[in-house]
């Protein structure tokens, strides 16, 4: 009997290994397959009544005239297909959130003429009026932009900009007078000529200064360009056609300069195909960890030991693959406590005919893929998904999800009857019962726009307590969506300011308690798809008209508390409790 059991064990192990190998082989091949060849139809989605969320298209009222280019000239370089992110932040400290759009640049063989494309900064004047201040601010970089993050790296009280480009990266120092100065060379953060991806500031070692993580996509050069086609139609090659490269981690020296600690920190131990990323304390141990989306490769989750040394634990904690053990074509990621259980969960966007993945934090250092249970991925199955963000759009106390859609193959309609280059974005309303429902079609004309979207930013642009949406669309104008949700529910916005910790409070964990409800969030620098937004934390409170307690746990261990806080306002909490 024991021999029979032993033989069965060997057989099952052999079969299991074969299945894993088959899954990995299929993952590596998906990019070249016609969409109709890759997967069966998704399961049906349960019907839940939509919620009262209204997002209205107001671009033509804003004065924003920016148009994006991906630098394409018919050669189908892979870098064109992944361009690019954007940022929303208050660059001049006037209390209004401004908008920074990244742009591409003409690639080799692309006809040029007239002024070169450049990034653009739009200052918020209030009342939904924006003015282009790129020239005055000095931030009109003409490089090929991919990722961007915002953080006060020198703790002078003014947010700085870091651009992760195809080619040398750029660090803009905010001078505090509405202008910026390029300090890349002096700071030592150019990062070479890689294809950039997401970027984040974080205080990895808790010393009160922001370090810098710059992700890299693939080892692409004009010389190693891989021509590609699908059914004879020109197409973009995929990441499987190029080598992955290590990301770069810079330690802040505290004097305006950085040191490349990629090897010493453990970051350079892995070479993959990074895209979106976010830094968050997933295990709630008081230091900041790093989640990296990798395109057609397993994801990375770098666990921080508290001293700025990292070890990839994605495989052991459950975020490397989806529940089938397959590496997704991961694009963007955000984190948020979608169940209000005090734990930060991850939501990750993916390629067409893949489920976006909702990783639920189980609270014991592990995650589980609950996409199907939460109904968070079915409606996205038909599209390529990019930027995303958790946000309580209707202030009912439950974080919803916004997802940007749009195919990367601009001629996909020529060989597929089921895919389109332009698509509507998706709005998933959180029912408060552990599930999401698609309310895209009932949420205003802003959700009916069909373009090929990439980066997304979610911020309250008019300070009315409702979070608005800005979307960077490739090869055309952006989308600006005003939140006009007819809700009487309450809200609280919190801006934190460090004194002994980093000035922006990046990494600080904020807990809000009202009655028997508790909400948790963190301050992040860099998130979604190669973008930055949400430096002010927004809490929808439902029917609660007063907050009993707000607690801010700073990086380094200090904690500040405010009690009996009125709702429907933006408050600033300045660090007063010394860190350990």
């Amino acid at each position: 009997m024991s021999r029979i059991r032993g033989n069965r064990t060997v057989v099952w192990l052999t079969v299991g290994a074969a299945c894993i190998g088959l899954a990995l082989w299929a993952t590596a091949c998906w990019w070249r397959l016609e969409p109709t060849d890759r997967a069966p139809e998704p399961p049906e989605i349960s019907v839940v009544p939509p919620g009262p969320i209204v997002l209205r298209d107001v671009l033509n009222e804003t004065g924003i005239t920016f148009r994006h280019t991906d630098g394409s000239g018919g050669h189908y370089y892979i870098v064109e297909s992944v361009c690019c992110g954007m940022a929303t932040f208050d660059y001049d400290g006037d209390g209004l959130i401004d908008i920074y759009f990244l742009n591409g640049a003409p690639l080799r063989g692309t006809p040029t003429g007239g002024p070169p494309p450049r990034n653009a900064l739009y200052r918020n004047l209030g009342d939904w009026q924006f003015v282009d201040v790129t020239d005055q601010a000095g931030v009109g970089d003409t490089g090929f932009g991919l990722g961007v993050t915002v953080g006060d790296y020198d703790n002078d009280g003014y947010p700085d900009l870091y651009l992760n480009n195809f080619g040398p990266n750029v660090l803009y120092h905010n001078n505090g007078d509405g202008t910026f100065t390029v300090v890349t060379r002096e700071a030592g953060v150019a990062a070479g000529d890689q294809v950039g991806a997401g970027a984040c500031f974080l205080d990895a070692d808790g010393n009160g200064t922001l370090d810098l993580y710059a992700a890299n996509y693939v080892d692409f050069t004009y010389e190693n360009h891989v021509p590609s086609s699908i059914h004879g139609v020109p197409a973009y090659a995929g990441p499987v056609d190029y080598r992955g490269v290590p990301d770069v981690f810079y330690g802040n020296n505290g004097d305006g300069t950085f040191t490349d600690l990629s090897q010493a920190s453990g970051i350079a131990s892995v070479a993959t195909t990074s895209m979106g990323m976010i830094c968050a304390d997933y295990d709630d141990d008081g230091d900041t960890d790093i989640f990296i989306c990798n395109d057609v490769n397993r994801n990375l989750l770098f666990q921080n030991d508290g001293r700025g040394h990292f070890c990839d634990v994605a495989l052991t904690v459950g975020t490397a693959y989806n529940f089938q053990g397959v590496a997704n074509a991961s694009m963007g990621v955000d984190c948020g406590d979608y169940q209000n259980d005090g734990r930060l969960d991850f939501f990750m966007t993916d390629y067409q005919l893949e489920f976006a993945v909702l990783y639920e934090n189980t609270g014991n250092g592990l995650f589980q893929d609950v996409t199907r249970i939460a109904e968070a991925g079915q409606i996205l199955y038909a599209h390529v998904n990019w930027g995303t963000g958790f946000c309580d759009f209707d202030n009912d106390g439950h974080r919803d999800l916004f997802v940007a859609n749009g195919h990367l193959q601009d001629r996909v309609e020529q060989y597929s009857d089921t895919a389109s280059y332009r698509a509507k974005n998706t709005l998933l309303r959180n029912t408060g019962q552990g599930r999401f429902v698609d309310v895209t079609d009932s949420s205003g004309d802003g959700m009916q726009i069909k373009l090929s979207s990439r980066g997304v930013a979610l911020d309250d642009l008019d300070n009315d307590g409702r979070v608005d949406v800005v979307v960077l669309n490739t090869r055309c104008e952006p989308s600006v969506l005003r939140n006009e949700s007819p809700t009487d529910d309450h809200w609280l916005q919190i801006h934190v300011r460090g004194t002994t910790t980093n000035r922006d409070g990046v990494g600080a964990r904020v807990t809000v308690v009202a009655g028997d409800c508790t909400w948790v969030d963190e301050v992040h620098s860099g998130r979604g798809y190669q973008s930055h937004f949400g430096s002010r934390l927004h809490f929808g409170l439902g029917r609660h008209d007063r907050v009993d307690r707000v607690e801010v746990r700073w990086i380094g261990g200090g904690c500040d508390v405010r009690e009996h806080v009125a709702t429907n306002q933006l408050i600033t909490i300045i660090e007063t409790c010394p860190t350990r």
Side-chain angles (χ1 to χ4, degrees):
M1 181 65 71
S2 62
R3 176 177 296 179
I4 293 174
R5 288 176 177 170
N7 290 339
R8 286 177 177 173
T9 300
V10 171
V11 169
W12 282 113
L13 289 173
T14 303
V15 171
C19 290
I20 293 173
L22 181 60
L24 293 175
W25 173 84
T27 300
C29 295
W30 70 269
W31 190 285
R32 290 195 176 278
L33 297 180
E34 182 177 354
T36 53
D37 297 334
R38 283 205 298 268
E41 291 298 315
E44 293 185 0
I45 306 166
S46 63
V47 178
V48 181
I53 300 175
V54 177
L55 299 177
R56 187 168 70 87
D57 176 15
V58 296
L59 174 66
N60 292 335
E61 304 170 20
T62 62
I64 294 173
T65 59
F66 173 81
R67 291 186 65 86
H68 173 263
T69 176
D70 60 8
S72 54
H75 297 281
Y76 284 83
Y77 300 123
I78 188 174
V79 67
E80 302 165 17
S81 64
V82 294
C83 175
C84 51
M86 60 167 299
T88 50
F89 69 114
D90 182 4
Y91 85 95
D92 55 358
D94 65 353
L96 296 169
I97 300 296
D98 310 298
I99 306 174
Y100 188 68
F101 296 106
L102 295 192
N103 215 340
L107 299 174
R108 180 181 293 180
T110 301
T112 59
R118 62 178 186 174
N119 301 343
L121 176 64
Y122 282 86
R123 184 185 178 205
N124 189 340
L125 302 178
D127 197 27
W128 289 96
Q129 297 300 301
F130 293 81
V131 60
D132 187 338
V133 294
T134 309
D135 286 335
Q136 299 95 306
V139 291
D141 184 53
T142 57
F144 197 101
L146 289 161
V148 59
T149 190
V150 176
D152 184 2
Y153 75 90
D154 58 352
N155 287 331
D156 65 354
Y158 306 107
D160 309 300
L161 271 171
Y162 184 76
L163 313 182
N164 204 3
N165 291 339
F166 168 43
N169 296 343
V170 176
L171 177 61
Y172 284 111
H173 176 261
N174 189 331
N175 300 319
D177 58 1
T179 69
F180 292 77
T181 300
V182 176
V183 295
T184 317
R185 183 185 300 274
E186 300 91 320
V189 291
D193 292 326
Q194 304 291 348
V195 178
C200 291
F201 283 110
L202 70 155
D203 185 358
D205 52 6
N207 69 351
T209 58
L210 290 177
D211 309 301
L212 176 61
Y213 192 111
N216 293 314
Y217 185 42
V218 294
D219 181 23
F220 164 79
T221 65
Y222 292 117
E223 289 68 31
N224 69 7
H225 166 58
V226 177
S228 181
S229 64
I230 300 176
H231 297 301
V233 178
Y236 292 105
V240 295
D241 295 306
Y242 298 92
R243 291 189 305 110
V245 291
D247 296 337
V248 181
F249 178 75
Y250 293 104
N252 193 327
N253 298 323
D255 59 359
T257 68
F258 292 79
T259 298
D260 188 339
L261 300 178
S262 305
Q263 292 289 343
S265 65
I267 296 299
S269 62
V270 185
T272 80
T273 51
S274 300
M275 296 201 86
M277 63 175 295
I278 192 166
C279 299
D281 184 5
Y282 84 91
D283 51 2
D284 196 17
D285 65 352
D287 54 49
T288 303
D289 313 296
I290 306 172
F291 184 97
I292 310 290
C293 289
N294 287 307
D295 195 359
V296 200
N297 275 293
R298 66 179 180 87
N299 301 317
L300 303 177
L301 180 55
F302 283 118
Q303 185 181 49
N304 191 349
D305 68 356
R307 300 185 300 275
H309 300 102
F310 297 91
C311 177
D312 176 28
V313 297
L315 186 61
T316 57
V317 306
T319 58
Y321 305 101
N322 65 14
F323 84 101
Q324 296 172 310
V326 174
N328 295 62
S330 309
M331 303 293 193
V333 61
D334 197 23
C335 71
D337 180 8
Y338 85 97
Q339 294 188 104
N340 294 338
D341 59 6
R343 299 187 290 266
L344 295 178
D345 313 294
F346 291 118
F347 181 77
M348 181 182 74
T349 58
D350 289 308
Y351 201 77
Q352 182 189 21
L353 300 189
E354 290 185 345
F355 282 99
V357 181
L358 177 60
Y359 290 111
E360 179 190 356
N361 189 332
T362 62
N364 56 357
L366 301 176
F367 290 83
Q368 59 180 347
D369 180 346
V370 297
T371 309
R372 286 166 174 79
I373 296 172
E375 300 183 6
Q378 291 94 318
I379 193 64
L380 301 169
Y381 188 83
H383 305 293
V384 181
N385 325 131
W386 302 87
T388 188
F390 280 104
C391 174
D392 187 354
F393 286 103
D394 54 2
N395 290 332
D396 66 351
H398 306 290
R399 290 175 176 85
D400 313 301
L401 278 166
F402 187 96
V403 180
N405 301 316
H407 216 286
L408 61 85
Q409 300 292 359
D410 59 355
R411 300 189 185 185
V412 65
E413 291 95 340
Q414 296 183 28
Y415 55 82
S416 172
D417 295 330
T418 61
S420 60
Y421 180 63
R422 297 172 180 84
K424 291 190 292 187
N425 297 323
T426 301
L427 181 57
L428 299 176
R429 181 173 180 262
N430 189 334
T431 66
Q433 300 173 340
R435 284 173 167 76
F436 293 85
V437 57
D438 175 29
V439 295
T440 303
D441 289 338
S442 62
S443 293
D445 63 358
M447 296 306 303
Q448 305 311 306
I449 299 169
K450 286 188 176 182
L451 295 169
S452 190
S453 301
R454 295 296 186 267
V456 167
L458 311 178
D459 259 312
D460 185 356
L461 298 179
D462 56 356
N463 292 338
D464 69 347
R466 293 174 292 188
V467 174
D468 311 294
V469 182
V470 186
V471 184
L472 188 143
N473 303 305
T474 188
R475 301 183 181 179
C476 64
E477 72 278 358
S479 301
V480 180
L481 311 182
R482 177 175 180 173
N483 188 343
E484 297 183 352
S485 302
T487 176
D488 293 325
D489 285 339
H490 300 284
W491 53 274
L492 182 67
Q493 292 179 4
I494 300 175
H495 175 231
V496 302
R497 195 171 76 196
T499 53
T500 60
T501 62
N502 70 85
R503 178 71 177 229
D504 289 336
V506 173
R509 176 166 294 212
V510 179
T511 302
V512 173
V513 179
D516 58 354
C517 294
T518 300
W519 297 269
V520 170
D521 204 353
E522 275 188 0
V523 181
H524 302 119
S525 167
R527 64 200 304 179
Y529 182 71
Q530 304 180 167
S531 296
H532 171 91
F533 58 90
S535 297
R536 295 178 186 169
L537 301 184
H538 177 91
F539 296 87
L541 304 173
R543 307 312 297 173
H544 296 279
D545 59 3
R546 191 163 187 83
V547 168
D548 300 314
R549 177 183 174 91
V550 176
E551 177 182 300
V552 181
R553 188 185 73 189
W554 307 93
I555 290 291
C559 182
D560 278 291
V561 175
R562 300 290 183 270
E563 294 183 328
H564 309 301
V565 178
T567 62
N568 301 339
Q569 64 169 330
L570 166 66
I571 65 172
T572 298
I573 298 180
I574 300 173
E575 180 187 14
T576 60
C577 183
T579 58
R580 62 174 179 265

